[in-house]
Amino acid sequence: MKLLEERIRKDGTVIGTEILKVDSFLNHQIDVELLSEIGKEFKRLFEKDNITKIVTIEASGIAIACLAAKEFGVPVVFAKKSRSKNIGTEVYTGKVHSFTYGVDYDITLSKKYLSSEDTVLIIDDFMAKGQAMNGLIDICEQAGAKIGGIGIVIEKGFQSGGELIRSRGYHVESLAIIESMDENGITFREQ
Amino acid sequence: MKLLEERIRKDGTVIGTEILKVDSFLNHQIDVELLSEIGKEFKRLFEKDNITKIVTIEASGIAIACLAAKEFGVPVVFAKKSRSKNIGTEVYTGKVHSFTYGVDYDITLSKKYLSSEDTVLIIDDFMAKGQAMNGLIDICEQAGAKIGGIGIVIEKGFQSGGELIRSRGYHVESLAIIESMDENGITFREQ
């Protein structure tokens, strides 16, 4: 997605060769107009998949999922990173390993809001090693929901997540795939 | 807002006289069409306030803030509940007391995304005792930003937050204000 790649080049900050900060428009401050365009692109890419629900993970997936859901006309449900007092006991639970913080944590999603009648589009802001995505897929499988597709805003193509998830047979679309980056610039994969 | 009051009556779950669960449409599963209508109502209520940015708090404020921001044509920035490794050291910090969990925690917002040039609409899903709102107001004051208004989806009118925040002179609009509730039903304040 050219608009997104240009924005990453203009406003993203590369630290070393692995960290890309996009907190000026994607995951701290949020450019809602850009997210509307991203939502339209996801709609175009997954419009034949009969999506009934968009699943994401708090916090930075929520904004992207909601603007996409507006295009699809379906609800969003987001997995929570800690067991909230108000979520109840009837939950699906997935495990996620965070390489940033060096810990495992559980994500939970209430059984009331995901079932075998759903065809899900899973959306997240980043995919690197695919840890959060594995947890979300696990939750969808527990629910018996069909995974209609997986939509990622920025994939770190030099890490293993994209290949791992695609090798499991899922329809994955990443709007920008970074082949490599350093302080001199970013190289995107041709798509 | 009649549409919202009807939805709370239909799909909300009252536990005792103080807890209202709306996780089927507002803060776990999200009805994006309802949130679009809520966004339009906030636009109507604050359209003369020259809002340049919407400020909220993760996680459940993000969806509401983004759908409202789409109406205003301004960016969102959300306060984080824990100091993320990626947020940097240049942050405003506010303190919030959680009565649900009996703990104090810090919320942070990067200094890059809020300044004295901003006129802010603060948005959140609930207001009860006003603790999260105090933290958000504190952050806006540290930034020197003007608070153009405060928009709440559901106010627990039987708790002290709404009165405290209004007594400080802020323009507060709550789309549904609950006077009282129990297993027999919910009484909303006439507005």
Side-chain angles (χ1 to χ4, degrees), chain A residues 151-167:
Chain A
I152 302 293
V153 180
I154 304 173
E155 179 181 333
K156 291 178 175 174
F158 54 88
Q159 292 192 335
S160 57
E163 194 174 330
L164 280 170
I165 304 291
R166 286 184 184 88
S167 72

Side-chain angles (χ1 to χ4, degrees), chain A residues 4-180:
Chain A
L4 176 64
E5 291 180 358
E6 286 164 12
R7 187 61 177 273
I8 294 168
R9 282 216 171 88
K10 177 168 164 279
D11 290 333
T13 306
V14 179
I15 301 172
T17 57
E18 302 216 344
I19 297 174
L20 171 66
K21 290 182 64 170
V22 288
D23 61 355
S24 68
F25 60 95
L26 193 64
N27 48 23
H28 183 26
Q29 182 166 253
I30 299 166
D31 180 341
V32 175
E33 294 307 311
L34 176 68
L35 260 56
S36 277
E37 294 304 314
I38 285 173
K40 285 173 193 161
E41 182 68 3
F42 281 135
K43 171 70 172 160
R44 189 181 71 79
L45 293 165
F46 297 104
E47 71 180 337
K48 293 177 181 163
D49 294 296
N50 301 312
I51 303 300
T52 65
K53 196 163 283 192
I54 294 182
V55 170
T56 189
I57 184 169
E58 67 176 352
S60 45
I62 296 174
I64 303 157
C66 283
L67 274 298
K70 198 160 158 49
E71 303 300 322
F72 284 89
V74 301
V76 168
V77 59
F78 65 89
K80 302 197 176 197
K81 286 185 177 169
S82 57
R83 187 182 290 258
S84 154
K85 266 196 184 175
N86 289 328
I87 201 173
T89 53
E90 290 296 302
V91 295
Y92 306 114
T93 303
K95 279 226 174 302
V96 176
H97 180 73
S98 165
F99 287 95
T100 313
Y101 295 96
V103 294
D104 286 327
Y105 59 92
D106 286 343
I107 58 173
T108 56
L109 193 147
S110 171
K111 290 185 179 176
K112 283 185 285 189
Y113 307 125
L114 199 60
S115 79
S116 59
E117 292 176 14
D118 285 308
T119 299
V120 169
L121 173 60
I122 305 179
I123 280 186
D124 207 0
D125 56 346
F126 271 96
M127 185 150 67
K129 295 180 182 166
Q131 297 293 317
M133 190 52 63
N134 278 328
L136 290 169
I137 290 172
D138 190 16
I139 279 175
C140 290
E141 287 178 345
Q142 289 172 45
K146 182 179 172 195
I147 296 174
I150 295 172
I152 302 293
V153 180
I154 304 173
E155 179 181 333
K156 291 178 175 174
F158 54 88
Q159 292 192 335
S160 57
E163 194 174 330
L164 280 170
I165 304 291
R166 286 184 184 88
S167 72
R168 293 172 65 181
Y170 295 113
H171 174 202
V172 180
E173 298 278 1
S174 298
L175 303 188
I177 303 180
I178 297 171
E179 287 289 12
S180 65

